[in-house]
């Protein structure tokens, strides 16, 4: 049976190039980067090099890059840090969107408990924040605007440069969770007026447990972890040397192949959309144009997302759904509800996230197995039966 990994928004496999680059830092160069002897200094130089690589990929200065354990940590640090800086000046209002990752939303909830107020902006039915809404929401009390670069479920890309410009003009800090975007679409933190940006290695073929926060020079973000002098004393703890080295290589590889990758991956995604759109009662989630190259997200009415995933898994396809999450809750995702989907429609959602490793054969295989699976699930669905009855009744002429 074919194996198709189509869940690259959840995580990506590491490339051989990245693994090869990491190995020496687990084998011979295992020294502590803070030690003065040679193998320690070799590790230290490798971290400096990786910092430069991450900075170059974002258009940042290497002193503006702080390594973290991943995207969630970077999000927490940026938001809680900006809130603390704001509170010092009596500014306790934050602005975000309704479709952020839980690393952002749950951080906001924690801040609300501490007396901050948060505005959650609408994203309308295309899944995109409107700049004029950000403008209207900013008050004299606003200390941070945080809007994700690209959504992890529906792939929509937000007007980051426009929001950045607005925030800079209004003197409000602007953070973006760019975990889904880094390495996949072009980013320039200076051009786009981004003050802080979160990224995560495992979303672009580096290892899990490593990420970074870009924080513009001049922003005195509070320390995250007290201890040693690592990360300019702001985030203490002996560095994840192999992880950081791998992330430097991965981000460099992604940026140098970006144009080609974007073209290839978006063509495969379009082929998927075209094929899957032929399925009766299906709809595409999120804006068709402003979306990540690899993101396919659709809803199939009368289908239960979890069952769909299990059946795809039996066919060797790794996919994801926006409905019932691992917590066992039956609520559909906050993202699908935010774009106005009804509960029962949102339950039939499917996300396929492609990568440079995806092939045309993979896409054709998905398009071959998906329609019969949906037919089978609909045959068992009382919801679908009702929908079909209603449709039939609506088509029939009024009885006289
Ligand atoms: C994956 C992801 C995160 C979390 O990153 P980790 O490195 O897994 O902590 C945060 N935000 C978005 C948008 C993500 O897709």
């Amino acid at each position: 049976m074919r194996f198709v990994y189509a869940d690259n928004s959840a995580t990506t496999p590491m490339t051989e190039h990245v693994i090869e680059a990491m190995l020496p830092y687990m084998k011979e160069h295992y020294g502590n980067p803070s030690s003065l002897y040679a193998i320690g200094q070799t590790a230290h130089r490798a971290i400096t090099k990786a910092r430069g690589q991450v900075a170059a990929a974002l258009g940042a200065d290497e002193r503006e890059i702080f390594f973290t354990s991943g995207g969630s940590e970077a999000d927490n640090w940026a938001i809680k840090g900006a809130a603390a800086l704001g509170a010092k000046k009596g500014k306790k209002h934050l602005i975000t969107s309704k479709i952020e990752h839980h690393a952002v939303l749950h951080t906001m909830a924690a801040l609300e408990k501490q007396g901050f107020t948060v505005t959650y902006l609408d994203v309308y039915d295309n899944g995109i924040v409107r700049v004029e809404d950000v403008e209207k929401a900013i008050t004299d009390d606003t200390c941070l605007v945080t809007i994700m670069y690209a959504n992890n479920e529906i792939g929509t890309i937000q007007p980051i440069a426009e929001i950045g410009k607005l925030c800079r003009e209004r003197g409000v800090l602007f953070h973006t969770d760019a975990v889904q975007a880094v390495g996949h679409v072009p980013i320039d933190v200076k051009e786009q007026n981004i003050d802080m940006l979160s990224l995560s290695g495992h979303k672009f073929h580096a290892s899990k447990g490593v990420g970074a926060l870009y924080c513009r020079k001049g922003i005195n973000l509070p320390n995250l972890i007290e201890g040693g002098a690592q990360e300019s004393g702001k985030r203490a703890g002996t560095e994840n040397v192999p992880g950081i080295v791998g992330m430097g290589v991965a981000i460099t590889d992604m940026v140098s192949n970006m144009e080609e990758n974007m073209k290839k991956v978006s063509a495969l995604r379009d082929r998927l959309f075209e094929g899957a759109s032929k399925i009766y009662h299906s709809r595409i989630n999120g804006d068709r144009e402003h979306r990540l190259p690899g993101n396919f997200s659709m809803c199939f009415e009368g289908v239960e997302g979890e069952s769909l995933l299990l059946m795809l898994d039996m066919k060797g396809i790794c996919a994801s759904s926006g409905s019932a999450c691992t917590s066992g809750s039956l609520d559909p995702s906050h993202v699908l509800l935010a774009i106005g989907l009804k509960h029962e429609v949102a339950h039939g959602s499917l996300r396929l996230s492609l990568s440079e490793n995806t092939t045309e054969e993979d896409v054709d295989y998905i398009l071959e197995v998906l329609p019969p699976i949906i037919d089978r699930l609909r045959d068992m669905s009382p919801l679908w039966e009702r929908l079909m009855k209603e449709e039939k009744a609506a088509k029939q002429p009024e009885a006289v």
Side-chain angles (χ1 to χ4, degrees):
M1 190 177 58
R2 226 188 151 80
F3 174 77
V4 178
Y5 184 72
D7 204 15
N8 288 278
S9 284
T11 195
T12 56
M14 291 166 69
T15 62
E16 274 308 312
H17 190 208
V18 168
I19 295 170
E20 287 300 320
M22 290 170 70
L23 285 176
Y25 296 91
M26 295 184 238
K27 292 178 173 171
E28 55 266 36
H29 311 310
Y30 52 79
N32 188 316
S34 301
S35 300
L36 289 178
Y37 38 75
I39 56 167
Q41 285 308 296
T42 309
H44 187 265
R45 276 195 303 276
I47 291 175
T48 304
K49 182 177 172 191
R51 202 183 303 282
Q53 289 170 317
V54 172
L58 302 173
D61 187 278
E62 62 183 55
R63 284 165 299 179
E64 298 172 315
I65 303 299
F66 300 89
F67 292 119
T68 66
S69 69
S72 301
E73 183 184 318
D75 284 341
N76 272 259
W77 189 5
I79 297 167
K80 288 176 187 167
L85 290 176
K88 270 198 224 163
K89 299 188 208 154
K91 297 182 173 200
K92 298 187 78 174
H93 174 234
L94 302 97
I95 299 171
T96 188
S97 81
K98 289 182 178 169
I99 61 166
E100 300 294 313
H101 190 271
H102 283 136
V104 170
L105 289 179
H106 291 174
T107 302
M108 290 297 180
L111 289 171
E112 281 182 298
K113 283 204 184 121
Q114 294 170 27
F116 288 86
T117 50
V118 180
T119 302
Y120 298 90
L121 297 176
D122 247 328
V123 294
Y124 304 90
D125 57 1
N126 65 350
I128 296 181
V129 167
R130 293 190 188 163
V131 183
E132 59 264 34
D133 288 351
V134 181
E135 186 159 23
K136 277 184 224 145
I138 295 177
T139 70
D140 291 339
D141 288 332
T142 309
C143 59
L144 178 74
V145 172
T146 174
I147 303 287
M148 71 198 319
Y149 204 112
N151 183 264
N152 45 300
E153 288 182 39
I154 57 173
T156 48
I157 296 178
Q158 307 300 327
I160 294 303
E162 290 86 339
I163 298 171
K165 182 167 176 276
L166 170 70
C167 290
R168 191 61 56 86
E169 283 165 7
R170 299 289 300 268
V172 177
L173 283 182
F174 175 44
H175 165 257
T176 184
D177 172 345
V179 171
Q180 288 291 331
V182 170
H184 303 283
V185 293
I187 296 177
D188 189 309
V189 291
K190 303 293 171 208
E191 249 174 48
Q192 295 173 297
N193 288 308
I194 298 167
D195 292 315
M196 291 186 280
L197 175 148
S198 306
L199 62 89
S200 174
H202 75 100
K203 303 290 174 81
F204 54 85
H205 307 291
S207 63
K208 292 162 186 63
V210 66
L213 177 68
Y214 150 79
C215 181
R216 184 172 57 78
K217 257 193 307 276
I219 299 171
N220 192 19
L221 204 64
N223 298 351
L224 180 67
I225 300 176
E226 304 298 339
Q230 296 92 352
E231 305 307 306
S232 311
K234 289 189 174 293
R235 201 271 189 189
T238 304
E239 301 89 336
N240 172 2
V241 183
I244 289 169
V245 167
M247 188 165 72
V249 170
I251 203 168
T252 308
D253 286 351
M254 290 303 276
V255 168
S256 44
N257 298 313
M258 189 176 286
E259 212 173 313
E260 191 186 321
N261 286 346
M262 284 177 69
K263 226 161 105 186
K264 183 195 155 179
V265 177
S266 57
L268 291 172
R269 177 206 60 197
D270 292 344
R271 190 181 176 96
L272 257 187
F273 270 137
E274 202 188 317
S277 295
K278 291 182 189 141
I279 295 172
Y280 195 44
H281 278 279
S282 63
R283 55 159 286 159
I284 294 175
N285 301 321
D287 196 86
R288 186 66 188 80
E289 202 175 318
H290 302 281
R291 74 189 299 138
L292 288 168
N295 178 283
F296 165 101
S297 172
M298 285 186 80
C299 283
F300 304 101
E301 264 187 272
V303 168
E304 210 275 300
E306 299 277 289
S307 319
L308 177 56
L309 292 192
L310 289 175
M311 291 180 76
L312 286 170
D313 181 37
M314 287 194 282
K315 294 284 184 188
I317 299 169
C318 304
S320 152
S321 153
S323 63
C325 53
T326 40
S327 64
S329 113
L330 274 172
D331 285 337
S333 97
H334 62 286
V335 177
L336 298 175
L337 296 181
I339 58 171
L341 298 190
K342 288 196 221 121
H343 276 244
E344 64 267 29
V345 177
H347 272 304
S349 73
L350 174 67
R351 178 188 76 183
L352 298 163
S353 39
L354 314 182
S355 83
E356 319 73 46
N357 302 329
T358 312
T359 64
E360 246 176 57
E361 289 73 28
D362 291 338
V363 168
D364 291 343
Y365 176 66
I366 294 171
L367 289 174
E368 178 193 315
V369 303
L370 183 62
I373 289 178
I374 288 177
D375 282 345
R376 247 185 86 191
L377 290 172
R378 282 175 171 171
D379 281 345
M380 305 186 285
S381 158
L383 202 73
W384 183 251
E385 197 183 333
R386 201 182 67 206
L387 184 73
M388 287 303 101
K389 268 195 194 134
E390 282 167 8
E391 214 173 79
K392 213 169 150 192
K395 272 188 198 144
Q396 242 138 44
E398 293 274 324
V400 258

